[in-house]
Amino acid sequence: MPEKIDTAQSDAILKIIRTINSHLDLDKVLKSVMDVTTQAMQVEASSLVLIDEETNELLFHVTEGEKAKIIKTIRMKSGEGIVGWVIKEGKPVLVNDVSKDKRFYKAADKKSGFITKSILCVPMSTPDKCLGAVEVINKMNDGEFDDADRIFLDAIASQAAIAIENAKLHERIVKNERLAAIGQTVSGLAHCIKNVLNGIQGGSYILDLGLKRENFSNVDKGWNIVKKNNIFMKELVLDMLSYSKEREPEYATADVNELVKSVCDLMEQKGKEKNVSMQFLPEESLGNVEIDAKGVKRCVLNLVSNAIDACEESDKSNVEVSVQSTRGKTFKIHVADSGIGMSPEIQAKLFQVFFSTKGSKGTGLGLAVSYKIIKEHGGNISVDSEKGKGTKFTITLPKKRKK
Amino acid sequence: MAENKKILIIDDEPDARAFSEAMLTELGDFEIETAKNGLEGLQKAELIKPDLIILDVQMPVMNGFQVFKELRRKGITENIPVIMLTGIATTTGLRYDAKDMGITLGSEPNAFIDKPVEPDEFHKTVSQILGL
């Protein structure tokens, strides 16, 4: 019967499990595993050996002991030495006098100046394959390795194998998520840019025809389309930059009534073109507040522009923009329209980047950027909408900057 | 003299409609009708029975794929040739993909033209379909 693992060794295993569960940095985890092992087993040196997946060589990934630095530089061929045999056969080896074992790799001692007397080496395996091995060398005070040591080292090696597999899995997940995010972003941007390019292509085609036929109304029409798409492209780039950067709002004292009024004035022409009447209801009792005026203006502009777009297919439609001061430390900006409204499914996707219901006119960035700017202020945007009846967006912001 | 061919442009974007119209005018004498959304497009298609429909994919409320399915479902419009204009960039790298928009098309449109639309490609495709 093998001897049981002692209390110090049980403590060591618990410590290793905790380390594996609480850290994601694999190198740190494996270093800590070998530190604990060296101390718990009272050995002069120890190593964790991995197989290089490209060259199939054996790498001393973690080394502990007096000559650790030199040992770390050694590379062994597959199957070479005791550790090579263990990895190849998938079986542990316990040798208390290496001079009598032909498998022993003498070159390592020669290179490092270390004198190996005894080795205990166990494979580090998952159910599918062997990842490498863990070995401990020279028990302190000329002691000998026994079966209990082997059981303990086996337990350590299986924990190390779990840590390696977890790290690989995590790396794969992160890589896949990153690739998916890049793919989605590139495809969303490509879609926006293709629409702008189509606008420029169309505008310049009409302009060309106008010049060719000396039709100045076509020249004007084509040139306006080109200019409009130029602005669209600029807005797209600005939105992309605001969306991709983590930033602190540039706080300054601002008059919200004035800010919202300036947005309504800017949007008045767009409203008129689509036969949408616009009302602005200021809140006289609200004094100056601390906000990033440029950012908040961008959000209100996005919301009012969307509200007018939503009205496009309705008769007698209107957009009402209002400011409201609450009794607490916040104020609200409401943008309500009597437009086409949204289904709950659309509302759920509203703030997702590149989600748009506006056909080729939408970039799918406006609301995502607005949401980000308001969140950066410690505020919130909510939406209340009913299909066929209209939509009301409410921005809630703190009156003073968040500490 | 033979009657001019009728072409219906269905596109929500006024500038894009103007672009298609300008390209058609440059190609020949056509009777051009426009519709600014899918519903209006379907009504006009039934009413005027055009010889060709230029259909944008990305439109609000009813997208081009939904309009196309509806055109093919109704006996009166099922044989009208359709050219679809698309700016969709799919993650699979395909030029167009109705599946990405959750739609099974059943039959294929006569042609797809990728945005930005190249006037030469547009002229060639229209001429081919109309046998000009």
Side-chain angles (χ1 to χ4, degrees):
Chain A
M1 273 284 280
E3 290 169 50
K4 283 183 180 169
I5 291 175
D6 65 28
T7 320
Q9 290 181 336
S10 319
D11 285 350
I13 289 179
L14 265 176
K15 205 170 168 183
I16 285 169
I17 292 172
R18 278 194 203 115
T19 309
I20 291 172
N21 288 335
S22 56
H23 290 87
L24 278 173
D25 183 334
L26 181 64
D27 286 347
K28 275 189 189 161
V29 168
L30 295 180
K31 172 89 177 81
S32 164
V33 167
M34 294 314 289
D35 266 349
V36 174
T37 305
T38 309
Q39 279 173 33
M41 294 193 76
Q42 299 195 331
V43 291
E44 287 178 14
S46 68
S47 321
L48 186 142
V49 179
L50 292 178
I51 305 164
D52 185 326
E53 283 175 5
E54 282 174 21
T55 62
N56 222 17
E57 283 178 320
L58 308 180
L59 309 176
F60 286 82
H61 191 76
V62 183
T63 50
E64 295 275 321
E66 201 189 330
K67 306 288 181 184
K69 277 187 182 164
I70 303 173
I71 303 283
K72 210 169 168 31
T73 63
I74 295 174
R75 284 187 165 232
M76 287 161 70
K77 285 180 198 151
S78 166
E80 208 166 41
I82 288 175
V83 68
W85 187 91
V86 167
I87 291 171
K88 202 172 172 187
E89 299 297 324
K91 289 176 190 165
V93 165
L94 190 161
V95 185
N96 276 318
D97 182 359
V98 291
S99 64
K100 288 178 184 161
D101 197 307
K102 283 180 187 167
R103 293 168 297 189
F104 178 61
Y105 182 71
K106 288 174 188 154
D109 275 10
K110 209 174 165 187
K111 187 175 178 186
S112 65
F114 186 83
I115 299 164
T116 305
K117 291 172 224 155
S118 54
I119 289 183
L120 169 59
C121 183
V122 298
M124 196 166 51
S125 308
T126 65
D128 310 323
K129 62 176 177 178
C130 183
L131 305 171
V134 177
E135 64 176 5
V136 284
I137 297 164
N138 298 354
K139 206 153 188 181
M140 297 276 195
N141 309 320
D142 290 327
E144 291 201 334
F145 291 117
D146 57 23
D147 226 18
D149 291 325
R150 182 190 56 78
I151 293 171
F152 174 68
L153 199 60
D154 247 343
I156 301 284
S158 40
Q159 289 306 316
I162 291 171
I164 294 169
E165 282 298 282
N166 281 351
K168 282 185 179 167
L169 185 68
H170 180 72
E171 199 179 312
R172 266 202 302 277
I173 292 171
V174 169
K175 192 179 166 192
N176 286 346
E177 278 177 357
R178 200 181 63 228
L179 285 176
I182 291 173
Q184 200 195 12
T185 310
V186 169
S187 124
L189 280 179
H191 165 210
C192 295
I193 293 168
K194 280 168 105 177
N195 279 316
V196 178
L197 286 176
N198 198 52
I200 295 172
Q201 180 93 306
S204 37
Y205 184 81
I206 294 170
L207 198 152
D208 267 350
L209 284 186
L211 288 174
K212 214 160 73 182
R213 294 181 183 157
E214 293 188 3
N215 175 343
F216 289 105
S217 127
N218 263 3
V219 172
D220 196 42
K221 191 175 176 185
W223 182 232
N224 276 326
I225 296 176
V226 172
K227 280 198 289 189
K228 205 194 298 174
N229 280 284
N230 190 24
I231 296 171
F232 195 78
M233 192 69 184
K234 191 181 129 194
E235 295 291 313
L236 172 66
V237 171
L238 284 178
D239 275 347
M240 259 162 52
L241 290 175
S242 341
Y243 188 77
S244 62
K245 255 192 289 182
E246 281 297 328
R247 60 184 278 279
E248 270 293 302
E250 287 170 23
Y251 285 101
T253 309
D255 180 337
V256 178
N257 287 315
E258 205 173 278
L259 181 148
V260 178
K261 188 178 178 302
S262 74
V263 171
C264 292
D265 289 346
L266 264 174
M267 286 284 122
E268 204 183 343
Q269 186 54 32
K270 182 175 174 172
K272 270 186 190 158
E273 279 171 17
K274 288 177 177 155
N275 210 16
V276 177
S277 68
M278 280 181 59
Q279 285 99 43
F280 167 53
L281 306 172
E283 166 79 275
E284 304 301 346
S285 69
L286 179 68
N288 282 347
V289 294
E290 273 179 12
I291 50 168
D292 180 338
K294 224 171 158 182
V296 174
K297 190 172 173 180
R298 190 160 192 79
C299 301
V300 183
L301 200 69
N302 272 330
L303 294 184
V304 177
S305 173
N306 283 352
I308 297 172
D309 284 337
C311 288
E312 214 168 13
E313 294 178 28
S314 320
D315 295 327
K316 289 181 190 167
S317 42
N318 72 294
V319 170
E320 189 184 279
V321 190
S322 56
V323 180
Q324 182 199 351
S325 180
T326 67
R327 281 185 193 166
K329 293 174 178 170
T330 60
F331 68 94
K332 293 174 192 284
I333 302 169
H334 306 281
V335 180
D337 67 65
S338 62
I340 54 174
M342 291 177 286
S343 66
E345 294 79 42
I346 287 180
Q347 288 179 48
K349 293 184 196 166
L350 217 50
F351 297 105
Q352 268 177 28
V353 66
F354 297 125
F355 174 76
S356 172
T357 58
K358 289 205 269 181
S360 47
K361 283 199 298 284
T363 61
L365 275 169
L367 279 182
V369 167
S370 302
Y371 184 81
K372 183 171 173 276
I373 292 171
I374 297 303
K375 283 286 165 187
E376 279 165 355
H377 277 78
N380 194 28
I381 301 189
S382 63
V383 58
D384 183 13
S385 181
E386 200 177 324
K387 215 167 160 39
K389 294 206 167 159
T391 302
K392 182 177 181 179
F393 277 92
T394 301
I395 297 176
T396 307
L397 282 169
K399 290 174 185 166
K400 301 266 177 213
R401 67 188 296 168
K402 61 170 185 177
K403 296 283 180 245
Chain B
M1 213 176 102
E3 227 176 86
N4 288 337
K5 301 252 187 204
K6 283 181 276 187
I7 301 179
L8 173 64
I9 301 168
I10 310 174
D11 202 316
D12 64 303
E13 184 56 50
D15 297 344
R17 284 200 299 272
F19 184 22
S20 295
E21 212 171 332
M23 286 187 290
L24 289 171
T25 313
E26 188 66 0
L27 185 67
D29 289 327
F30 301 113
E31 204 178 298
I32 300 168
E33 280 283 338
T34 58
K36 61 178 190 302
N37 60 53
L39 281 179
E40 193 188 338
L42 287 171
Q43 283 166 0
K44 285 197 172 172
E46 279 189 48
L47 202 69
I48 61 171
K49 293 185 218 65
D51 298 287
L52 173 66
I53 294 175
I54 311 285
L55 176 61
D56 184 35
V57 172
Q58 292 125 301
M59 291 189 290
V61 190
M62 196 174 189
N63 67 50
F65 290 128
Q66 290 165 323
V67 175
F68 177 75
K69 270 189 92 168
E70 208 46 32
L71 285 168
R72 288 291 178 263
R73 199 179 63 79
K74 289 182 181 170
I76 196 163
T77 54
E78 69 176 342
N79 293 318
I80 302 174
V82 174
I83 297 177
M84 294 194 88
L85 306 184
T86 171
I88 301 172
T90 69
T91 44
T92 48
L94 294 171
R95 235 168 29 145
Y96 56 87
D97 199 346
K99 268 189 212 159
D100 272 13
M101 296 172 96
I103 298 161
T104 319
L105 278 184
S107 66
E108 286 276 298
N110 299 65
F112 274 98
I113 296 183
D114 207 15
K115 285 182 186 172
V117 177
E118 288 295 337
D120 284 348
E121 189 193 355
F122 184 88
H123 286 156
K124 213 171 123 186
T125 314
V126 172
S127 303
Q128 222 163 35
I129 292 173
L130 292 180
L132 301 175

